[in-house]
Amino acid sequence: PQGGGFTISGLTLPAILHPSETAVFTVSLSSAATANISGNITLNGWIRWYAPGQRGDYRYATRSSAATSLSIPVSHTATVLGQLSPAPASVSFGSVRVGNTQTSPATLTNSGAGPVTITQATASGSGFTVSGLPLPMTLTPGESATFSAAYAPQAAGSAQGQITVLSDASNATVTIGLSGSANTPGQLSISPASLNFGAVGVGKSQQLSATLAASGSSVTVFSASANSSEFSLSGIQFPVT
């Protein structure tokens, strides 16, 4: 073959083709070819004359052979592809309370030499969603698109997932890892539920103790007050978790 990158396979040479016989061969081009290429596949041989014999057989005639060549044009038109680069490669939402939503931005950049058309972006994993990409959309070389990943847990526990982006880039499938954990709102309790000071003389004071406790998850107490001036609270500094 003439023209860089083209190769021929499937022909064992020299090969003799009798009348009506065929030979199949393969012309290949290296996948690393990044430029327009044209060339020719040239087959050189000799033509020998045959004369019909008995029962339709062909027998070689004594006439001299003639040189011949066959040229097959081949060409390749290079397609320049883009490449998608995600940032960040993974998103961790940390701990999010059940019923709340935490969002995080992410970016897709075309870092290749050709345009990229993004056709699909989906999120997998419990509580994860993706938004902000008007699909289908095309990114020219160097162009970026920013979108949002969100985590809205509905039950306590840890979660893993990913965003999958499909396009016609050289890396047709791009993924961004997602992770987060969910906690339920804490419950605050006091023990005892009520305090009875009994009979206290005028001008005297009486102290009783009570305990605050949190269950489920941490609770931050910012303040406390009494609805009567005869009662006061001490021994605790706010805020307290």
Side-chain angles (χ1 to χ4, degrees):
Q2 297 175 341
F6 294 105
T7 58
I8 297 177
S9 61
L11 274 181
T12 302
L13 300 177
I16 298 176
L17 296 180
H18 296 93
S20 299
E21 287 186 338
T22 60
V24 178
F25 61 94
T26 301
V27 180
S28 303
L29 176 64
S30 169
S31 60
T34 58
N36 295 342
I37 304 173
S38 61
N40 293 282
I41 302 297
T42 302
L43 301 174
N44 297 313
W46 292 88
I47 297 177
R48 296 180 177 179
W49 284 270
Y50 285 75
Q54 296 179 352
R55 299 179 182 177
D57 292 339
Y58 283 84
R59 300 183 181 277
Y60 175 59
T62 58
R63 291 179 58 185
S64 59
S65 302
T68 186
S69 65
L70 175 64
S71 182
I72 305 171
V74 290
S75 62
H76 163 71
T77 301
T79 301
V80 180
L81 299 178
Q83 181 171 348
L84 279 183
S85 300
S90 61
V91 176
S92 175
F93 291 94
S95 181
V96 179
R97 181 168 292 184
V98 171
N100 289 354
T101 300
Q102 180 73 33
T103 61
S104 179
T107 302
L108 292 170
T109 300
N110 180 2
S111 56
V116 172
T117 297
I118 302 171
T119 55
Q120 185 176 340
T122 57
S124 62
S126 179
F128 298 111
T129 57
V130 57
S131 62
L133 287 174
L135 302 177
M137 67 180 303
T138 299
L139 299 179
T140 58
E143 188 177 8
S144 298
T146 300
F147 60 97
S148 293
Y151 178 45
Q154 300 302 309
S158 60
Q160 303 285 333
Q162 67 179 24
I163 294 173
T164 301
V165 180
L166 303 181
S167 72
D168 61 357
S170 58
N171 52 337
T173 302
V174 171
T175 59
I176 300 174
L178 302 173
S179 64
S181 61
N183 59 78
T184 56
Q187 300 292 322
L188 189 64
S189 62
I190 187 169
S191 179
S194 63
L195 297 172
N196 186 354
F197 287 88
V200 181
V202 175
K204 302 293 184 180
S205 65
Q206 177 71 32
Q207 291 186 345
L208 295 177
S209 297
T211 301
L212 287 174
S215 60
S217 62
S218 299
V219 175
T220 299
V221 181
F222 295 97
S223 64
S225 61
N227 61 359
S228 173
S229 60
E230 284 82 8
F231 296 100
S232 62
L233 181 67
S234 63
I236 187 170
Q237 186 175 358
F238 299 106
V240 61
T241 301

